[in-house]
Amino acid sequence: MLVTDGGKLSPADLAEATDRHVDSVRRALRRMDDLVETKYAEVGLRSTRVAEIVHEAAQEAKDATRRAVEASAKVIGAAERGRDSAAAEFYAWASRHGVDVSRRSDALTLDFSE
């Protein structure tokens, strides 16, 4: 929230937005004092570099989650179409190693770009 909202929020705002008790938020913020500055009723990230690092980490987590969901859907789809377990294992392997697998008609495409 501190990255997307551009900077400063109160612990009460964070508690309300995350459906947590304000004391829980304050405890969590104390454990993150390398990343955040806390002043009375105001919390902000320590620097723009910290904001960039947090944003990059959040984006990587989002991308990893998307890849995992896509791979799971492909595995489930393969199982539903009655493919053997080798195909399901292949899709799982591809997902673990960041390989994008797409299939159209009789063509199978593997993208190793990352």
PDB file of all heavy atoms in Angstrom, residues 28-44:
ATOM      1  N   ALA A  28       3.978  -5.182  13.436  1.00  0.00           N
ATOM      2  CA  ALA A  28       4.573  -5.564  12.147  1.00  0.00           C
ATOM      3  C   ALA A  28       5.485  -4.452  11.624  1.00  0.00           C
ATOM      4  O   ALA A  28       6.576  -4.720  11.126  1.00  0.00           O
ATOM      5  CB  ALA A  28       3.476  -5.879  11.136  1.00  0.00           C
ATOM      6  N   LEU A  29       5.065  -3.216  11.776  1.00  0.00           N
ATOM      7  CA  LEU A  29       5.876  -2.092  11.311  1.00  0.00           C
ATOM      8  C   LEU A  29       7.183  -1.986  12.085  1.00  0.00           C
ATOM      9  O   LEU A  29       8.227  -1.661  11.504  1.00  0.00           O
ATOM     10  CB  LEU A  29       5.087  -0.788  11.415  1.00  0.00           C
ATOM     11  CG  LEU A  29       3.921  -0.639  10.437  1.00  0.00           C
ATOM     12  CD1 LEU A  29       3.077   0.575  10.799  1.00  0.00           C
ATOM     13  CD2 LEU A  29       4.419  -0.564   9.009  1.00  0.00           C
ATOM     14  N   ARG A  30       7.141  -2.277  13.372  1.00  0.00           N
ATOM     15  CA  ARG A  30       8.377  -2.241  14.173  1.00  0.00           C
ATOM     16  C   ARG A  30       9.376  -3.278  13.663  1.00  0.00           C
ATOM     17  O   ARG A  30      10.584  -3.054  13.702  1.00  0.00           O
ATOM     18  CB  ARG A  30       8.068  -2.472  15.652  1.00  0.00           C
ATOM     19  CG  ARG A  30       7.570  -1.225  16.366  1.00  0.00           C
ATOM     20  CD  ARG A  30       7.572  -1.402  17.877  1.00  0.00           C
ATOM     21  NE  ARG A  30       6.656  -2.420  18.342  1.00  0.00           N
ATOM     22  CZ  ARG A  30       5.370  -2.224  18.648  1.00  0.00           C
ATOM     23  NH1 ARG A  30       4.845  -1.019  18.521  1.00  0.00           N
ATOM     24  NH2 ARG A  30       4.627  -3.208  19.077  1.00  0.00           N
ATOM     25  N   ARG A  31       8.879  -4.417  13.163  1.00  0.00           N
ATOM     26  CA  ARG A  31       9.763  -5.458  12.634  1.00  0.00           C
ATOM     27  C   ARG A  31      10.317  -5.101  11.261  1.00  0.00           C
ATOM     28  O   ARG A  31      11.238  -5.738  10.781  1.00  0.00           O
ATOM     29  CB  ARG A  31       9.032  -6.799  12.565  1.00  0.00           C
ATOM     30  CG  ARG A  31       8.862  -7.419  13.938  1.00  0.00           C
ATOM     31  CD  ARG A  31       8.200  -8.767  13.846  1.00  0.00           C
ATOM     32  NE  ARG A  31       6.852  -8.567  14.353  1.00  0.00           N
ATOM     33  CZ  ARG A  31       5.759  -9.182  13.951  1.00  0.00           C
ATOM     34  NH1 ARG A  31       5.836 -10.089  13.023  1.00  0.00           N
ATOM     35  NH2 ARG A  31       4.589  -8.912  14.464  1.00  0.00           N
ATOM     36  N   MET A  32       9.751  -4.098  10.618  1.00  0.00           N
ATOM     37  CA  MET A  32      10.198  -3.689   9.285  1.00  0.00           C
ATOM     38  C   MET A  32      10.887  -2.328   9.324  1.00  0.00           C
ATOM     39  O   MET A  32      10.860  -1.588   8.349  1.00  0.00           O
ATOM     40  CB  MET A  32       9.001  -3.624   8.335  1.00  0.00           C
ATOM     41  CG  MET A  32       8.327  -4.948   8.100  1.00  0.00           C
ATOM     42  SD  MET A  32       7.059  -4.882   6.810  1.00  0.00           S
ATOM     43  CE  MET A  32       5.921  -3.670   7.448  1.00  0.00           C
ATOM     44  N   ASP A  33      11.531  -1.999  10.433  1.00  0.00           N
ATOM     45  CA  ASP A  33      12.091  -0.658  10.557  1.00  0.00           C
ATOM     46  C   ASP A  33      13.222  -0.375   9.575  1.00  0.00           C
ATOM     47  O   ASP A  33      13.586   0.774   9.364  1.00  0.00           O
ATOM     48  CB  ASP A  33      12.506  -0.359  11.993  1.00  0.00           C
ATOM     49  CG  ASP A  33      13.612  -1.268  12.495  1.00  0.00           C
ATOM     50  OD1 ASP A  33      13.941  -2.242  11.814  1.00  0.00           O
ATOM     51  OD2 ASP A  33      14.141  -0.982  13.592  1.00  0.00           O
ATOM     52  N   ASP A  34      13.786  -1.398   8.934  1.00  0.00           N
ATOM     53  CA  ASP A  34      14.775  -1.164   7.873  1.00  0.00           C
ATOM     54  C   ASP A  34      14.108  -0.641   6.600  1.00  0.00           C
ATOM     55  O   ASP A  34      14.763   0.006   5.774  1.00  0.00           O
ATOM     56  CB  ASP A  34      15.533  -2.446   7.529  1.00  0.00           C
ATOM     57  CG  ASP A  34      16.477  -2.875   8.635  1.00  0.00           C
ATOM     58  OD1 ASP A  34      16.750  -2.050   9.536  1.00  0.00           O
ATOM     59  OD2 ASP A  34      16.929  -4.031   8.601  1.00  0.00           O
ATOM     60  N   LEU A  35      12.833  -0.928   6.429  1.00  0.00           N
ATOM     61  CA  LEU A  35      12.113  -0.542   5.219  1.00  0.00           C
ATOM     62  C   LEU A  35      11.240   0.693   5.393  1.00  0.00           C
ATOM     63  O   LEU A  35      11.041   1.447   4.448  1.00  0.00           O
ATOM     64  CB  LEU A  35      11.221  -1.697   4.740  1.00  0.00           C
ATOM     65  CG  LEU A  35      11.921  -2.994   4.360  1.00  0.00           C
ATOM     66  CD1 LEU A  35      10.884  -4.058   4.025  1.00  0.00           C
ATOM     67  CD2 LEU A  35      12.855  -2.772   3.191  1.00  0.00           C
ATOM     68  N   VAL A  36      10.686   0.856   6.575  1.00  0.00           N
ATOM     69  CA  VAL A  36       9.714   1.930   6.779  1.00  0.00           C
ATOM     70  C   VAL A  36      10.154   2.876   7.898  1.00  0.00           C
ATOM     71  O   VAL A  36      10.881   2.501   8.807  1.00  0.00           O
ATOM     72  CB  VAL A  36       8.305   1.378   7.109  1.00  0.00           C
ATOM     73  CG1 VAL A  36       7.744   0.572   5.969  1.00  0.00           C
ATOM     74  CG2 VAL A  36       8.309   0.579   8.387  1.00  0.00           C
ATOM     75  N   GLU A  37       9.697   4.105   7.776  1.00  0.00           N
ATOM     76  CA  GLU A  37       9.858   5.090   8.841  1.00  0.00           C
ATOM     77  C   GLU A  37       8.490   5.294   9.471  1.00  0.00           C
ATOM     78  O   GLU A  37       7.507   5.501   8.766  1.00  0.00           O
ATOM     79  CB  GLU A  37      10.338   6.426   8.275  1.00  0.00           C
ATOM     80  CG  GLU A  37      11.745   6.414   7.788  1.00  0.00           C
ATOM     81  CD  GLU A  37      12.154   7.774   7.246  1.00  0.00           C
ATOM     82  OE1 GLU A  37      11.308   8.456   6.629  1.00  0.00           O
ATOM     83  OE2 GLU A  37      13.319   8.140   7.432  1.00  0.00           O
ATOM     84  N   THR A  38       8.438   5.214  10.764  1.00  0.00           N
ATOM     85  CA  THR A  38       7.175   5.402  11.460  1.00  0.00           C
ATOM     86  C   THR A  38       7.299   6.623  12.367  1.00  0.00           C
ATOM     87  O   THR A  38       8.186   6.692  13.206  1.00  0.00           O
ATOM     88  CB  THR A  38       6.830   4.165  12.306  1.00  0.00           C
ATOM     89  OG1 THR A  38       6.834   3.018  11.456  1.00  0.00           O
ATOM     90  CG2 THR A  38       5.472   4.309  12.951  1.00  0.00           C
ATOM     91  N   LYS A  39       6.422   7.573  12.133  1.00  0.00           N
ATOM     92  CA  LYS A  39       6.286   8.725  13.008  1.00  0.00           C
ATOM     93  C   LYS A  39       4.879   8.646  13.558  1.00  0.00           C
ATOM     94  O   LYS A  39       4.057   7.888  13.067  1.00  0.00           O
ATOM     95  CB  LYS A  39       6.485  10.026  12.234  1.00  0.00           C
ATOM     96  CG  LYS A  39       7.867  10.159  11.632  1.00  0.00           C
ATOM     97  CD  LYS A  39       7.974  11.420  10.827  1.00  0.00           C
ATOM     98  CE  LYS A  39       9.320  11.469  10.131  1.00  0.00           C
ATOM     99  NZ  LYS A  39       9.410  12.583   9.221  1.00  0.00           N
ATOM    100  N   TYR A  40       4.578   9.413  14.539  1.00  0.00           N
ATOM    101  CA  TYR A  40       3.248   9.364  15.124  1.00  0.00           C
ATOM    102  C   TYR A  40       2.197   9.522  14.031  1.00  0.00           C
ATOM    103  O   TYR A  40       2.174  10.509  13.306  1.00  0.00           O
ATOM    104  CB  TYR A  40       3.076  10.447  16.192  1.00  0.00           C
ATOM    105  CG  TYR A  40       1.730  10.374  16.854  1.00  0.00           C
ATOM    106  CD1 TYR A  40       1.472   9.405  17.819  1.00  0.00           C
ATOM    107  CD2 TYR A  40       0.707  11.233  16.488  1.00  0.00           C
ATOM    108  CE1 TYR A  40       0.238   9.302  18.414  1.00  0.00           C
ATOM    109  CE2 TYR A  40      -0.534  11.146  17.084  1.00  0.00           C
ATOM    110  CZ  TYR A  40      -0.766  10.179  18.044  1.00  0.00           C
ATOM    111  OH  TYR A  40      -1.999  10.086  18.641  1.00  0.00           O
ATOM    112  N   ALA A  41       1.358   8.526  13.904  1.00  0.00           N
ATOM    113  CA  ALA A  41       0.218   8.506  12.977  1.00  0.00           C
ATOM    114  C   ALA A  41       0.626   8.608  11.508  1.00  0.00           C
ATOM    115  O   ALA A  41      -0.184   8.958  10.665  1.00  0.00           O
ATOM    116  CB  ALA A  41      -0.792   9.589  13.319  1.00  0.00           C
ATOM    117  N   GLU A  42       1.904   8.288  11.179  1.00  0.00           N
ATOM    118  CA  GLU A  42       2.303   8.332   9.782  1.00  0.00           C
ATOM    119  C   GLU A  42       3.393   7.291   9.518  1.00  0.00           C
ATOM    120  O   GLU A  42       4.358   7.191  10.260  1.00  0.00           O
ATOM    121  CB  GLU A  42       2.810   9.719   9.421  1.00  0.00           C
ATOM    122  CG  GLU A  42       3.073   9.886   7.952  1.00  0.00           C
ATOM    123  CD  GLU A  42       3.471  11.298   7.602  1.00  0.00           C
ATOM    124  OE1 GLU A  42       4.668  11.619   7.701  1.00  0.00           O
ATOM    125  OE2 GLU A  42       2.560  12.064   7.242  1.00  0.00           O
ATOM    126  N   VAL A  43       3.208   6.539   8.439  1.00  0.00           N
ATOM    127  CA  VAL A  43       4.175   5.514   8.036  1.00  0.00           C
ATOM    128  C   VAL A  43       4.533   5.779   6.591  1.00  0.00           C
ATOM    129  O   VAL A  43       3.666   6.056   5.771  1.00  0.00           O
ATOM    130  CB  VAL A  43       3.568   4.097   8.149  1.00  0.00           C
ATOM    131  CG1 VAL A  43       4.557   3.055   7.703  1.00  0.00           C
ATOM    132  CG2 VAL A  43       3.087   3.829   9.551  1.00  0.00           C
ATOM    133  N   GLY A  44       5.823   5.674   6.284  1.00  0.00           N
ATOM    134  CA  GLY A  44       6.272   5.837   4.906  1.00  0.00           C
ATOM    135  C   GLY A  44       7.483   4.965   4.652  1.00  0.00           C
ATOM    136  O   GLY A  44       8.159   4.529   5.586  1.00  0.00           O
TER     137      GLY A  44
END
